[in-house]
Amino acid sequence: MSERILIVEDEPAIAQTLAYALKAEGFETQWESLGQAALAALQQDLQVSAAAPVFALVVLDVGLPDISGFDLCRTIRRQSDVPVLFLTARSDEVDRIVGLEIGADDYVSKPFSPREVASRVRAILRRTNKRSAKEQPTLQPASEALFSTTAKAVQQAPFTHDKEGLRIAFHGQWLSLTRYEYRLLATLLARPGRVFSRSQLMEQVWTDAEESLERTVDAHIKTLRGKLRSVEAAAAVALDPIETHRGMGYSIRL
């Protein structure tokens, strides 16, 4: 049975072009022009066959008329692990990072080649199927070992790492971290003083991200440093424990 792709795009010409390209690659497609209709289709899919959902992947336009594609992706992620490929007309890198941060698997910027979209879909499904085959009974990246332990908390002054609670404190204050900010800081704390290259951090933190997205590491380091500096200002200290090693990567000093 062919894998089925849900296309969520409000422009009929783009949707039809995508459907044609995906069908040429052997996929079946379903098109929805509104986010709410797409969500209803996904929910019906889960109710009918929760163990084996009909949709293998969602191609999702960011600029939908009834709901933001980002908000729709957040809703999908609360209910399903179905891969999501964003279509975006926005060239700003922050939007791309936000899209990946909230659970998208990849993105394609408009204007795009339909064949490129089909190729990205194939790549995402290949990675997803490979993970599913290796990770039984639950999906858990190999790097997850960095973030799982029987110890309740590890003191690494000025940090406290609560591995069971998946949270980190700095100078006694718990940090409000996104999923990737937490995983990034936890990776650095696991080996203080070690210099991690961007590609190594991508492998440890973004386990299925493309190599072309290594700039995402720099963006997350920047936001992470901002949160650490906020605590430093409140604690009247100046440390900036994350060190940049030009041309090599990042490390953390304690």
Side-chain angles (χ1 to χ4, degrees):
M1 182 177 178
S2 300
E3 291 176 299
R4 195 171 190 183
I5 308 300
L6 178 61
I7 301 172
V8 191
E9 167 61 61
D10 63 315
E11 296 186 37
I14 294 178
Q16 291 168 9
T17 301
L18 287 174
Y20 180 83
L22 290 168
K23 287 178 181 177
E25 292 291 325
F27 296 106
E28 295 182 6
T29 64
Q30 178 174 328
W31 171 44
E32 299 293 348
S33 60
L34 297 176
Q36 293 296 345
L39 186 59
L42 286 165
Q43 290 174 335
Q44 183 179 13
D45 179 15
L46 289 173
Q47 291 172 359
V48 172
S49 183
V54 172
F55 296 112
L57 183 142
V58 178
V59 177
L60 176 58
D61 183 22
V62 170
L64 297 172
D66 62 334
I67 182 175
S68 162
F70 291 145
D71 291 337
L72 180 56
C73 185
R74 289 188 183 95
T75 302
I76 291 172
R77 274 293 161 266
R78 288 195 291 267
Q79 304 174 14
S80 170
D81 290 327
V82 61
V84 174
L85 170 66
F86 270 134
L87 302 178
T88 176
R90 307 179 186 185
S91 59
D92 192 293
E93 188 180 64
V94 173
D95 283 334
R96 300 177 183 180
I97 293 170
V98 168
L100 294 167
E101 175 67 26
I102 63 178
D105 293 79
D106 204 347
Y107 66 87
V108 177
S109 298
K110 298 179 181 179
F112 52 77
S113 161
R115 292 181 64 183
E116 178 189 3
V117 175
S119 176
R120 296 290 185 95
V121 168
R122 283 280 185 205
I124 293 171
L125 291 177
R126 191 161 51 244
R127 294 196 305 264
T128 303
N129 293 336
K130 186 181 295 185
R131 285 202 311 273
S132 297
K134 288 182 177 180
E135 296 159 3
Q136 298 292 337
T138 59
L139 296 177
Q140 180 174 317
S143 61
E144 197 71 23
L146 286 172
F147 316 111
S148 300
T149 181
T150 55
K152 290 187 176 181
V154 177
Q155 295 288 340
Q156 293 175 283
F159 292 95
T160 301
H161 187 184
D162 177 4
K163 297 186 179 183
E164 288 189 344
L166 300 179
R167 59 179 184 164
I168 298 173
F170 185 50
H171 289 290
Q173 179 176 326
W174 294 110
L175 300 167
S176 177
L177 303 174
T178 66
R179 173 178 50 163
Y180 290 125
E181 287 171 348
Y182 166 76
R183 292 174 65 89
L184 182 57
L185 185 54
T187 298
L188 293 173
L189 285 173
R191 298 286 296 275
R194 172 180 170 173
V195 177
F196 288 87
S197 68
R198 289 174 179 82
S199 61
Q200 287 172 331
L201 289 171
M202 288 294 294
E203 182 180 351
Q204 292 291 334
V205 179
W206 290 268
T207 53
D208 59 351
E210 296 289 340
E211 187 175 345
S212 60
L213 297 175
E214 286 184 7
R215 288 176 298 171
T216 303
V217 174
D218 299 333
H220 280 75
I221 287 287
K222 182 177 180 180
T223 60
L224 186 54
R225 275 179 167 148
K227 294 180 179 181
L228 295 177
R229 286 182 184 130
S230 296
V231 175
E232 289 172 343
V237 296
L239 177 61
D240 189 11
I242 299 177
E243 291 190 88
T244 299
H245 302 266
R246 295 191 181 278
M248 294 184 289
Y250 299 98
S251 68
I252 197 164
R253 65 171 182 268
L254 302 177

